[in-house]
């Protein structure tokens, strides 16, 4: 019997700070190592599995085990099956197993004891079978009937991941005129004194609610137009964090066209990560993200990308996918994979400021076909890094949660006037301002309207196996298109069609780079 697993937990290999906003639960997870995961030199046999101790992993005596009814499996290659439990609100693990191991799992569709399994699978030694059962328990693919909690391969330390995220809208100004942008451009910016008070407000809420970390996102408009202010503000935030004993991390969301070598050095010195927007190669990018005067911006973005790589401060790339650039997505992903850059794929969202909407708005079937063409490129160039939680818009595979995002819970958005809103894509819907003693508490109040509802309260989601991975989709998009927060995402059909494709890519990556275990 053979099993392939990725022994690193999902939250250790997450694009957290690489994401362009807090529209997913990965904003609550730790930033993973860019280097990705290391494969074993050779398969491990059951005698060598020192990582599988008896203590607290193996039910004593004649304990009975069962396979959760929510377990999902699909064939990713002939004779190789990916197995996971997308409906379990717990640490996620995906395993790939052979036909025999899948048969062993399915043996426990009805509760049975290890002794009964040993008799049914007598071709496998009892010692090897018990070792395999321990592994399946640790992965959460088998559970003890007595319901006692079983510790998995990893567990977050107490309080780890308790972070308050804050989006700081540095400026309304921008040097590009992106067709899908939701910001009404102007010369207005966040004054320096207001900016300092904004950061103070973030830390007031963080202290009051017991957060151990603050994540700042410097955005706009184009924040590099006021980079000196960003750097000074971040230095102030670091001082406040040190005084409050709260960890501080930050990212800069930029179009990159004015990112100089000196600016990159300053960002790297302070540990401010860079999220770069890139929607295609050449004209594919230029059509969606031209300069204000109409000239294409791709050459300038590529220059910034090369400068970042040369400085040893690689960015993450956010790609906004629309009908206009969908055909160029495979070539873009091939380009990004060759550079070994992390990326996330976002879908165009309807908003009042967008232009040329007829060229941006996509149909369900064309998006599904376009994404599958892009996935084929990934399959041909599988990276070591886990990608599956960055491929399907704002869903969060592996980060099971009843909520689609941190809106109304762990997220503050501060506009250029010091107003506080629950979502950066709805800047005008402020609920308080930075003078409030606790802005986060004001954002959390249900009476304030726009909020993320638990997915089990959403019509059309309650019985879906993927509900804890998409959590009903972006609440703002759903509200804008349906007028309701308690219904499933307009992109639901896309998600349901593509989750198996995304899982298959992850399974192929595990087969290539994961740990092979032989029983």
């Amino acid at each position: 019997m053979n099993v392939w697993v990725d022994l690193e937990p999902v939250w250790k290999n997450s694009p957290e700070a690489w994401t362009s906003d807090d529209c997913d639960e990965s904003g609550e997870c730790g930033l993973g190592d860019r280097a990705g995961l290391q494969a074993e030199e050779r398969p491990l046999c059951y005698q060598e599995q020192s990582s599988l101790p008896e203590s607290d992993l193996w039910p004593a005596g004649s304990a009975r085990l069962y396979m959760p009814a929510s377990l999902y499996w699909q064939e990713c290659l002939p004779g190789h099956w990916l197995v996971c439990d997308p409906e379990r609100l717990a640490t996620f693990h995906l395993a790939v197993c052979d036909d025999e191991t899948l048969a062993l799992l399915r043996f426990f569709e009805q509760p049975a004891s290890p002794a009964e399994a040993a008799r049914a699978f007598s071709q496998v030694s009892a010692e090897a079978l018990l070792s395999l059962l321990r592994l399946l328990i640790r992965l959460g693919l088998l559970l003890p009937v007595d319901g006692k909690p079983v510790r998995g391969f990893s567990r977050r330390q107490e309080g780890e991941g308790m972070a308050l995220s804050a989006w700081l809208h540095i400026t309304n100004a921008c040097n590009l005129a992106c067709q899908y942008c939701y910001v009404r451009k102007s010369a207005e910016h966040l004054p320096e004194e207001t900016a300092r008070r904004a950061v103070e407000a973030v830390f007031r809420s963080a202290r009051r609610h017991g957060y151990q970390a603050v994540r700042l996102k410097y955005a706009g408009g184009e924040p590099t137009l006021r980079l000196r202010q960003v750097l000074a503000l971040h230095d102030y935030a670091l001082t406040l964090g040190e005084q409050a004993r709260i960890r501080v991390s930050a990212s800069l969301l930029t179009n990159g066209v004015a990112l100089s070598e000196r600016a990159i050095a300053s960002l790297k010195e302070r540990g401010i990560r860079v999220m770069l927007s890139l929607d295609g190669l050449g004209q594919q990018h230029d059509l969606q993200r031209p300069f204000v005067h109409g000239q294409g911006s791709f050459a300038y973005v590529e220059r910034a990308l090369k400068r970042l790589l040369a400085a040893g401060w690689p960015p993450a790339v956010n790609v906004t996918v629309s009908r206009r650039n969908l055909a160029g997505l495979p070539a873009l992903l091939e380009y990004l994979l060759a550079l070994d850059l992390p990326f996330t794929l976002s879908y165009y969202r309807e908003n009042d400021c967008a232009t040329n909407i007829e060229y941006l708005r996509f149909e369900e079937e064309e998006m599904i076909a376009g994404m599958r063409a892009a996935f084929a490129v990934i399959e041909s160039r599988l990276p070591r890094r886990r990608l599956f939680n960055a491929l399907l818009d704002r869903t969060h595979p592996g980060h099971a949660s009843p909520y689609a995002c941190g809106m109304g819970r762990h997220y503050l958005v501060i506009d250029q006037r010091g107003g506080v809103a629950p979502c950066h894509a709805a800047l005008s819907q402020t609920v308080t301002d930075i003078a409030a003693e606790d802005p986060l508490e004001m954002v959390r109040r249900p009476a304030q309207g726009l909020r993320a509802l638990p997915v089990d309260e959403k019509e059309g989601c309650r019985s879906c196996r993927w509900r804890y991975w998409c959590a009903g989709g972006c609440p703002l998009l759903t509200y804008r298109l349906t007028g309701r927060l308690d219904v499933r995402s307009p992109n639901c059909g896309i998600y349901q069609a593509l989750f198996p494709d995304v899982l298959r890519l992850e399974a192929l990556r595990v087969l290539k780079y994961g740990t092979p275990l032989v029983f």
Side-chain angles (χ1 to χ4, degrees), residues 178-182 279 288 318-326 345-363 367 371 393-394 474 477 480-481 489-491 494-495:
C178 303
Q179 295 184 351
Y180 48 74
C181 185
Y182 50 81
D279 288 353
Q288 289 196 164
N318 185 67
V319 182
T320 299
V321 184
S322 74
R323 169 179 283 175
R324 172 152 261 174
N325 69 335
L326 187 58
L345 303 180
S346 310
Y347 295 168
Y348 159 72
R349 282 170 171 69
E350 298 281 341
N351 67 83
D352 295 336
C353 299
T355 59
N356 294 320
I357 293 175
E358 67 274 17
Y359 296 108
L360 299 173
R361 187 180 289 153
F362 51 82
E363 298 295 332
M367 179 60 78
M371 294 301 293
D393 193 41
R394 290 304 182 204
C474 170
L477 175 69
R480 282 178 172 165
L481 294 185
S489 168
N491 290 331
I494 298 173
Y495 297 156

Side-chain angles (χ1 to χ4, degrees), residues 97-110:
C97 61
D98 59 12
D99 292 327
E100 285 185 293
T101 306
L102 181 64
L104 175 65
L105 270 171
R106 299 197 62 181
F107 178 80
F108 290 96
E109 287 180 311
Q110 298 299 320

Side-chain angles (χ1 to χ4, degrees), residues 361-405:
R361 187 180 289 153
F362 51 82
E363 298 295 332
E364 188 173 284
E365 289 303 319
E366 68 180 339
M367 179 60 78
I368 292 170
M371 294 301 293
R372 283 177 172 159
F375 292 170
V377 171
I378 296 174
E379 182 174 347
S380 69
R381 306 189 64 125
L382 282 171
R384 287 184 179 274
R385 183 188 305 106
R386 182 183 281 120
L387 285 179
F388 80 137
N389 48 10
L391 296 179
L392 195 49
D393 193 41
R394 290 304 182 204
T395 63
H396 40 83
H399 299 280
S401 171
Y403 295 96
C405 63

Side-chain angles (χ1 to χ4, degrees), residues 118-133:
R119 288 193 292 272
F121 294 85
S122 57
Q123 74 276 16
V124 182
S125 74
E127 185 181 1
L129 187 70
L130 291 180
S131 188
L132 175 54
L133 291 177

Side-chain angles (χ1 to χ4, degrees), residues 42-280:
R42 59 188 176 84
L44 296 177
C45 294
Y46 66 86
Q47 296 96 334
E48 302 174 294
Q49 291 170 37
S50 58
S51 62
L52 305 176
E54 294 273 351
S55 61
D56 72 53
L57 295 176
W58 180 244
S62 59
R64 295 169 70 77
L65 306 174
Y66 72 97
M67 184 192 79
S70 55
L71 209 65
Y72 173 81
W73 62 86
Q74 75 179 63
E75 195 170 28
C76 55
L77 287 176
H80 294 76
W81 300 83
L82 70 88
V83 185
C84 65
D85 190 349
E87 297 186 55
R88 191 166 178 237
L89 282 169
T91 300
F92 170 80
H93 290 290
L94 176 145
V96 180
C97 61
D98 59 12
D99 292 327
E100 285 185 293
T101 306
L102 181 64
L104 175 65
L105 270 171
R106 299 197 62 181
F107 178 80
F108 290 96
E109 287 180 311
Q110 298 299 320
S113 69
E116 291 170 321
R119 288 193 292 272
F121 294 85
S122 57
Q123 74 276 16
V124 182
S125 74
E127 185 181 1
L129 187 70
L130 291 180
S131 188
L132 175 54
L133 291 177
R134 292 186 200 110
L135 172 66
L136 297 176
I137 292 170
R138 292 190 72 173
L139 293 173
L141 306 181
L142 287 178
L143 300 176
V145 171
D146 62 17
K148 293 179 181 178
V150 178
R151 189 168 64 189
F153 277 116
S154 62
R155 177 184 279 176
R156 297 190 193 194
Q157 299 298 316
E158 187 65 27
E160 187 173 3
M162 286 293 292
L164 174 61
S165 293
W167 174 290
L168 300 176
H169 191 73
I170 300 298
T171 179
N172 250 11
C174 190
N175 39 22
L176 296 189
C178 303
Q179 295 184 351
Y180 48 74
C181 185
Y182 50 81
V183 177
R184 295 193 184 280
K185 305 300 193 309
S186 72
E188 195 175 11
H189 63 269
L190 184 64
E192 292 185 13
E193 180 57 32
T194 306
R196 289 169 68 91
R197 290 174 52 220
V199 172
E200 290 167 1
V202 172
F203 279 92
R204 276 201 309 276
S205 283
R207 288 195 303 270
R208 178 162 296 202
H209 293 274
Y211 286 99
Q212 299 179 22
V214 163
R215 297 191 178 112
L216 301 174
K217 297 179 184 289
Y218 302 113
E222 176 48 47
T224 59
L225 296 178
R226 299 189 64 83
L227 187 61
R228 184 177 299 178
Q229 177 185 349
V230 169
L231 299 176
L233 186 59
H234 187 68
D235 290 343
Y236 184 55
L238 291 174
T239 299
L240 293 181
E242 185 176 359
Q243 292 171 354
R245 296 185 179 180
I246 292 176
R247 299 188 304 275
V248 179
S249 61
S251 54
L252 180 82
L253 282 54
T254 176
N255 59 39
V257 298
L259 204 55
S260 67
E261 293 174 354
R262 182 176 178 180
I264 292 168
S266 297
L267 293 169
K268 182 179 180 180
E269 179 184 359
R270 290 165 174 80
I272 301 174
R273 288 289 183 179
V274 176
M275 165 62 83
L276 196 67
S277 293
L278 179 62
D279 288 353

Side-chain angles (χ1 to χ4, degrees), residues 446-465:
Q448 299 300 334
L450 187 60
R451 64 195 187 279
L453 292 179
V455 67
D456 289 318
E457 295 182 15
K458 296 190 177 188
E459 184 180 303
C461 295
R462 299 180 187 95
S463 62
C464 178
R465 67 157 44 104

